[in-house]
């Protein structure tokens, strides 16, 4: 006997829902991928520089497949590695994290900033709240040993860019790196970052006019023969504005998970911050009335252990090839 049309429709919809749930919770979130971009930002006639960005691993100790995939990225032989935070996803994840990163980071210039999950262990929350409101600012006391996380990364040779600055020369190009701690929890301090930049880059010749004597002059103080790289975990507009005003040519961020659940043909439903959702994943341009910079927001490699889902948003790392304009 044939099914009633309403029952038939319900059966089809139910099967589709089960299929989507199975795909997003058991399959897609393990389909790690590498996104590649080319950015024309280097001074004239420079050797291309390949930058590997890793973000939002949210690593748990049992995630061996993710650890192995991250370790395999060493085969890319990047010239620079940038870690944009939320590397931790469990209170006991640090040994696994350092094991994952060691072949990628050791011997390769690397910089990092922290995200909120490098201070706070995960707690169960209604995952649907992620789609309707920002999780900004925790009222909890940090319960991860962030000093141990920082120490572990620096022992691998990575440079701490949290509200700080560093200078590197890679393949003949000077990189002036500036970074902010996570604005998602109010740990960013642009004044501290600018002061660190003034100290670190004080001996560099100035771009098109002037010493760095205030925020308005920061962009002019970047070296004409250098590339200024701005790094932050959560791409809040105020933080991006601070990096842009400080002269960034390229800005790298994470945090958004690319929306984590994307609607085909629509895109991300949320950025979990005030970044426009159309910029929640991938390469775009961030600009104000005076300056523009490339912005890459990585969708990251993980998710909270309490929200194990990705749909139309595969976990990713980014490989950016910087070349002469």
């Amino acid at each position: 006997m044939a099914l009633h049309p309403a029952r038939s429709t319900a059966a089809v919809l139910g099967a589709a829902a089960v299929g989507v749930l199975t795909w997003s919770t058991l399959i897609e979130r393990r389909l790690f991928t590498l996104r590649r971009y080319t950015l024309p930002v280097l001074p004239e006639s420079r050797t291309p520089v390949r930058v590997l960005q890793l973000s939002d691993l949210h690593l748990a100790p049992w995630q061996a497949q993710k650890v192995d995939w991250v370790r395999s990225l060493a085969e890319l032989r990047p010239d620079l590695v940038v870690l944009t935070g939320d590397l931790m996803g469990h209170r006991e994840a640090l040994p696994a994290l350092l094991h994952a990163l060691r072949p990628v980071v050791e011997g390769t210039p690397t910089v990092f900033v922290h995200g909120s999950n490098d201070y706070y262990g995960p707690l169960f929350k209604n995952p649907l709240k992620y789609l309707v409101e920002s999780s900004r600012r925790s009222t909890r006391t940090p319960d991860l040993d962030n000093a141990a996380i920082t120490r572990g990364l620096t022992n691998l040779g990575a440079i701490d860019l949290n509200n700080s600055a560093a200078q590197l020369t890679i393949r003949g190009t000077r990189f002036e790196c500036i970074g902010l701690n996570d604005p998602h929890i109010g740990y960013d301090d642009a004044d501290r970052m600018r002061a660190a930049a003034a100290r670190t880059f004080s001996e560099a010749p100035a771009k098109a006019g002037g010493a760095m004597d205030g925020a308005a002059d920061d962009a002019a103080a970047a070296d004409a023969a250098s590339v200024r790289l701005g790094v932050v975990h959560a791409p809040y507009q105020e933080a991006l504005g601070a990096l842009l005003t400080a002269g960034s040519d390229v800005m790298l961020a994470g945090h958004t998970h690319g929306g984590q659940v994307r609607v085909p043909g629509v895109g991300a439903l949320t950025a979990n911050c005030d970044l426009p959702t159309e910029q929640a994943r991938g390469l775009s341009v961030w600009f104000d009335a005076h300056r523009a910079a490339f912005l890459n927001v990585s969708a990251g490699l993980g998710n909270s252990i309490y929200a194990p889902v990705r749909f139309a948003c595969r976990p990713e790392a980014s490989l950016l090839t910087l070349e002469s304009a």
Side-chain angles (χ1 to χ4, degrees), residues 205-293:
K207 262 184 189 174
M212 188 183 300
D213 56 3
D217 297 320
D218 287 352
D223 181 3
S226 71
V227 173
R228 190 161 288 191
L229 176 66
V231 184
V232 68
H233 173 65
Y236 282 90
Q237 294 190 32
E238 183 178 359
L240 296 179
L243 293 173
L244 187 67
T245 301
S248 296
D249 301 296
V250 179
M251 300 188 293
L252 303 182
H255 176 72
T256 66
H257 299 183
Q260 195 163 325
V261 173
R262 297 174 68 92
V263 177
V266 175
L269 300 178
T270 180
N272 198 20
C273 63
D274 63 359
L275 185 73
T277 54
E278 60 267 24
Q279 293 178 281
R281 182 181 72 178
L283 187 65
S284 64
V285 174
W286 192 260
F287 61 93
D288 60 19
H290 307 287
R291 188 171 174 84

Side-chain angles (χ1 to χ4, degrees), residues 15-16 27 39 50 67 82 110 126 150 172 198 209 211 224 231 250 282-283 304 321:
I27 300 173
L39 283 65
R50 299 198 306 160
V67 168
V82 180
T110 300
N126 180 353
T150 301
V231 184
V250 179
L283 187 65
S304 169
T321 299

Side-chain angles (χ1 to χ4, degrees), residues 86-272:
D86 273 9
L87 304 180
M88 296 283 287
H90 188 279
R91 290 177 178 84
E92 305 300 326
L94 184 56
L97 175 66
L98 298 179
H99 176 67
L101 292 176
R102 182 167 285 108
V104 181
V105 170
E106 279 190 337
T108 301
T110 300
V111 297
F112 70 91
V113 294
H114 291 310
S116 60
N117 285 273
D118 303 315
Y119 294 93
Y120 298 94
L123 290 177
F124 177 77
K125 301 176 184 177
N126 180 353
L128 295 178
K129 290 182 68 176
Y130 178 82
L131 297 178
V132 297
E133 65 181 30
S134 171
S135 61
R136 191 173 191 179
R137 297 188 186 278
S138 177
T139 56
R140 291 189 287 150
T141 300
D143 55 3
L144 295 185
D145 188 348
N146 180 263
I149 297 167
T150 301
R151 186 167 56 251
L153 293 173
T154 56
N155 285 345
L156 291 180
I159 298 170
D160 183 355
L161 272 191
N162 288 287
N163 300 324
S164 192
Q167 185 167 284
L168 299 165
T169 298
I170 302 171
R171 291 186 170 268
T173 296
R174 182 165 58 249
F175 283 82
E176 298 176 346
C177 304
I178 56 175
L180 290 170
N181 207 335
D182 192 8
H184 193 63
I185 49 175
Y187 283 11
D188 54 317
D189 189 334
D191 289 337
R192 248 181 88 193
M193 177 192 72
R194 282 192 288 266
R199 292 191 304 271
T200 303
F201 312 142
S202 61
E203 297 182 0
K207 262 184 189 174
M212 188 183 300
D213 56 3
D217 297 320
D218 287 352
D223 181 3
S226 71
V227 173
R228 190 161 288 191
L229 176 66
V231 184
V232 68
H233 173 65
Y236 282 90
Q237 294 190 32
E238 183 178 359
L240 296 179
L243 293 173
L244 187 67
T245 301
S248 296
D249 301 296
V250 179
M251 300 188 293
L252 303 182
H255 176 72
T256 66
H257 299 183
Q260 195 163 325
V261 173
R262 297 174 68 92
V263 177
V266 175
L269 300 178
T270 180
N272 198 20

